[in-house]
Amino acid sequence: MGAAISGKAELLPVEQDPVRFTHLRRQQFNLLARQATRSPFVIAIVATVLAYIVSGHAPVYQVVLWAVALVALLFVRRAYALRQLNKPPVDVQRALGHMMWFAFGAGLFTGSAGPLFFSRLPDVERALLTMILVCWTAGGVSTAAAYARVFYAYVAPALLPLVLLWVMTGDTQSVAVAVLIVLFGLIQVLFVRDNERVVRESFLIRYENERLLEALERERQEVMLARDHAEAANRAKSQFLAAASHDLRQPLHALSLYSATLTMRAVDATTSEIAGHINQALASLSTLVDSLLDVSKLDAGAVSPEIRRVNVKELIERIEADYRPVAREKKLAFRVAPVDAIMETDPVLLERMLRNLVDNAFKYTAVGDVALDVEVDESSVCIAVRDTGAGIPNSERERIFEEFYQVGNPERDRTQGLGLGLAIVKRLARLLGLKVKLVSQSGRGSTFSVTLPRAEGGHVFPYPPPATAGEDAVALVGVTVLVIDDEPSVRVGMRALLESWGCRVRACSGYVEAQRLLDEHALEIDLIVADFRLPQHENGIETVRRLRERLGDVPALMVSGDTAPERLREAQESGLPFLHKPVSADKLKQTMLAVLAR
């Protein structure tokens, strides 16, 4: 936009650009008007001095009338100038014309001093009169510099009578004086013309600078508006994802409960096989929904890193153990080089980052190998994930970290995920204060690497051992569980699953119904499993708090599909264990046991 304005100023003369031309004329008038408000006081002093010089040789009334008329005209011009400055004229060209007429009148009154007093004065006083009038007009060079025509209108009537009077004197010296006066006047005209050009150019430069600043300010406002729109769109997207995630999680959670119950109660091999396929499909869908949740949690600021000392070898070996079957299935070599070194970071978040990078490497590598390398020096640990896939073009290297963007997957093949893996990596890296470095060459693979500070000695974060299938199989037998959920299908599924573990289950939709169950059955509740979002805007956290006022400090946990940022923060602040739907049967059991053990 700024370039367009500047280009217009260079292509068009100012007279052909009405906007710039009007601005120039207005600035010229303002400068003239300001000069007109100051000059009467100085000219009144000069007129008084001239009147004193000629007062001994001319009638006093003529001298007084001349001086009063001249000063009065100048003060009338001053009043006009003040009025126009206070209320800018609509027709500035006409106002400039008025200033020219004022200048012409002032020139007439100034030049009339010659015819009135010249012939009556001795030679010395004539010389003084000439010197004063010439200097007087020279003063007009600065006051009329903004608009040369005003000076032209003034200087001619001010000096020509004096020139003629000297010529009429007749002797050679007098003619020489007349010629010098004319030359002096011409020099003044040239000065005024040059001054007007300088003033004109300075006005135009300042005008162009102002327009450029205005254009830049408009562009800044547009950028800020675009940024606000982008932020609003991002918030709307997060809200949509949160709402969609919640609505998807409810039936998905119910389905996972039914599937887990079906698996446990399978009576033949066919039923067991079908249940296994259902579990695989649910696991795949749950992974996709969890990716959406991870983005929402990171955007909400609901994840806080816990920096600890971690053995990089243990972390790498865990990832290797989980992805070695994937490598065998895809017939890829999986090269791992664990190094026994201690680093400082959040082990859970770092492991999630690396798993996403390794997962991406296997997804986009058809032949060759995937490598998980570690390089250690005195102060840092660099972990790199390398593959021999198709590589990433330079034009795509920024976009691959955007949500839902995938290189080479225009068909949106669901086996390649949602395109959220690297978006999550980017957010986790920012949260941990790390930088993900990418080196890639089309057709020859990619390398993603992160560098972390190294630590020596001290306590090392222990990784929990993996849960064993069938572990604590009878630990929940006889436990009375109060399930609070607004979805009937979830209540039915939870009842079926928990009862298959030997629990006694009571299910309700909210606080009022829970109170009725307690009153009617005089229940002793061992554990509360509550949803977050309940009917009539009821809050699951508040419901647990109110029930504890009656039952005491009963163990409780939250199971919810709500991923709105404010809900995530509220749940984190409540201190209650919080599981996101859909929850696997094993994870639900382990969390229930952990809560009961506290």
Side-chain angles (χ1 to χ4, degrees):
M1 185 179 297
I5 293 173
S6 180
K8 180 179 178 183
E10 292 174 2
L11 293 174
L12 289 178
V14 66
E15 289 79 6
Q16 297 179 27
D17 184 346
V19 175
R20 293 168 61 234
F21 184 71
T22 301
H23 175 81
L24 172 63
R25 288 292 186 249
R26 189 168 298 280
Q27 294 299 316
Q28 288 175 315
F29 175 80
N30 289 341
L31 185 53
L32 281 174
R34 285 194 292 269
Q35 291 288 356
T37 62
R38 295 188 286 265
S39 59
F41 302 99
V42 177
I43 294 176
I45 296 173
V46 176
T48 302
V49 172
L50 182 57
Y52 173 76
I53 291 172
V54 303
S55 60
H57 306 282
V60 175
Y61 75 92
Q62 283 187 351
V63 176
V64 172
L65 285 175
W66 172 81
V68 170
L70 175 61
V71 174
L73 176 64
L74 295 177
F75 274 95
V76 170
R77 183 178 67 177
R78 180 177 185 276
Y80 173 79
L82 287 172
R83 186 169 69 251
Q84 299 302 318
L85 288 173
N86 292 331
K87 186 178 180 181
V90 176
D91 188 349
V92 69
Q93 193 64 44
R94 183 179 180 186
L96 282 171
H98 291 161
M99 296 301 290
M100 286 178 60
W101 281 110
F102 276 119
F104 181 74
L108 284 177
F109 277 107
T110 302
S112 65
L116 287 175
F117 311 125
F118 184 85
S119 60
R120 298 172 180 173
L121 297 176
D123 291 341
V124 175
E125 280 74 7
R126 286 182 179 181
L128 283 174
L129 174 64
T130 301
M131 184 177 64
I132 290 173
L133 292 179
V134 169
C135 292
W136 199 329
T137 57
V141 172
S142 60
T143 58
Y147 195 57
R149 296 179 188 179
V150 169
F151 182 77
Y152 303 157
Y154 171 74
V155 72
L159 291 183
L160 284 178
L162 189 62
V163 170
L164 293 175
L165 288 170
W166 279 104
V167 171
M168 291 170 61
T169 303
D171 57 81
T172 304
Q173 291 181 345
S174 298
V175 173
V177 171
V179 172
L180 290 174
I181 294 172
V182 171
L183 290 176
F184 186 76
L186 291 175
I187 291 172
Q188 290 176 330
V189 168
L190 294 176
F191 281 155
V192 168
R193 188 185 64 179
D194 290 342
N195 286 345
E196 182 190 28
R197 179 178 53 80
V198 172
V199 170
R200 178 190 181 104
E201 291 176 355
S202 67
F203 280 154
L204 293 176
I205 290 172
R206 186 173 67 180
Y207 175 66
E208 291 306 314
N209 288 338
E210 290 173 354
R211 294 188 68 183
L212 287 174
L213 289 174
E214 291 174 1
L216 288 174
E217 178 62 21
R218 285 196 298 271
E219 289 179 357
R220 188 182 72 85
Q221 294 293 338
E222 289 172 0
V223 169
M224 292 178 63
L225 185 62
R227 182 202 63 189
D228 292 342
H229 286 166
E231 291 177 352
N234 191 52
R235 287 193 298 270
K237 179 195 70 178
S238 296
Q239 292 169 359
F240 168 77
L241 288 177
S245 179
H246 175 269
D247 294 341
L248 285 171
R249 285 171 184 280
Q250 293 292 91
L252 188 59
H253 180 58
L255 186 58
S256 69
L257 297 174
Y258 293 136
S259 175
T261 304
L262 178 63
T263 301
M264 296 180 63
R265 297 185 177 181
V267 294
D268 53 59
T270 302
T271 304
S272 179
E273 182 181 358
I274 292 172
H277 289 313
I278 293 174
N279 282 333
Q280 289 178 3
L282 282 172
S284 176
L285 182 57
S286 179
T287 299
L288 298 181
V289 175
D290 282 342
S291 295
L292 291 173
L293 174 63
D294 286 338
V295 172
S296 296
K297 288 198 297 185
L298 291 168
D299 286 344
V303 179
S304 300
E306 298 181 10
I307 305 301
R308 308 182 189 184
R309 294 172 181 265
V310 185
N311 191 321
V312 65
K313 182 178 180 181
E314 294 180 16
L315 185 150
I316 297 301
E317 288 175 344
R318 285 170 63 89
I319 297 175
E320 178 189 12
D322 288 344
Y323 280 93
R324 186 65 67 183
V326 178
R328 285 196 297 268
E329 182 180 347
K330 295 197 69 175
K331 295 182 174 55
L332 297 173
F334 187 23
R335 297 186 294 101
V336 180
V339 175
D340 197 3
I342 308 302
M343 56 187 176
E344 290 190 343
T345 186
D346 184 307
V348 177
L349 300 184
L350 177 63
E351 183 173 343
R352 180 62 193 276
M353 277 182 63
L354 296 177
R355 284 180 179 274
N356 280 9
L357 292 174
V358 172
D359 192 63
N360 254 31
F362 277 110
K363 281 178 182 175
Y364 295 102
T365 302
V367 293
D369 60 79
V370 173
L372 182 54
D373 296 332
V374 180
E375 296 178 2
V376 179
D377 60 25
E378 294 182 356
S379 61
S380 64
V381 178
C382 178
I383 306 175
V385 178
R386 298 185 172 89
D387 64 62
T388 57
I392 302 167
N394 290 334
S395 59
E396 305 285 349
R397 293 187 184 181
E398 292 296 327
R399 297 199 64 191
I400 60 171
F401 291 97
E402 298 176 3
E403 300 93 332
F404 309 109
Y405 186 78
Q406 293 174 299
V407 177
N409 188 20
E411 300 85 4
R412 302 300 302 171
D413 180 2
R414 129 185 119 70
T415 62
Q416 297 187 34
L418 284 176
L420 290 173
L422 291 180
I424 293 171
V425 167
K426 178 181 177 181
R427 287 165 167 79
L428 289 172
R430 183 167 58 239
L431 189 64
L432 294 174
L434 304 176
K435 183 178 181 180
V436 179
K437 184 179 179 181
L438 168 61
V439 177
S440 184
Q441 186 175 354
S442 293
R444 303 192 63 178
S446 305
T447 299
F448 291 86
S449 61
V450 292
T451 302
L452 302 98
R454 186 177 179 183
E456 297 295 341
H459 177 68
V460 177
F461 173 75
Y463 283 94
T468 304
E471 186 181 39
D472 299 314
V474 296
L476 294 175
V477 174
V479 173
T480 301
V481 181
L482 177 61
V483 175
I484 307 174
D485 201 293
D486 61 332
E487 288 286 335
S489 60
V490 173
R491 295 198 297 271
V492 173
M494 285 287 285
R495 179 187 293 275
L497 179 62
L498 296 180
E499 287 181 347
S500 71
W501 292 341
C503 298
R504 293 192 295 267
V505 182
R506 292 291 185 271
C508 60
S509 62
Y511 177 75
V512 173
E513 193 173 341
Q515 287 281 65
R516 185 170 64 251
L517 285 174
L518 294 175
D519 293 338
E520 291 176 356
H521 302 283
L523 296 174
E524 291 293 331
I525 303 298
D526 298 314
L527 176 66
I528 300 173
V529 179
D531 192 5
F532 190 95
R533 187 188 298 182
L534 299 173
Q536 305 299 321
H537 304 291
E538 189 175 332
N539 183 315
I541 295 174
E542 181 63 19
T543 299
V544 170
R545 187 191 65 76
R546 294 172 68 186
L547 289 173
R548 280 177 168 178
E549 290 177 355
R550 171 173 176 170
L551 301 172
D553 193 17
V554 178
L557 64 95
M558 305 297 298
V559 181
S560 177
D562 198 327
T563 61
E566 59 273 15
R567 298 288 83 80
L568 295 174
R569 285 190 288 268
E570 188 175 351
Q572 188 180 39
E573 293 168 0
S574 72
L576 294 174
F578 196 88
L579 299 177
H580 292 283
K581 297 177 181 178
V583 183
S584 69
D586 288 340
K587 187 173 184 179
L588 177 62
K589 178 188 288 186
Q590 294 302 319
T591 305
M592 290 173 62
L593 290 171
V595 171
L596 288 170
R598 291 180 180 176

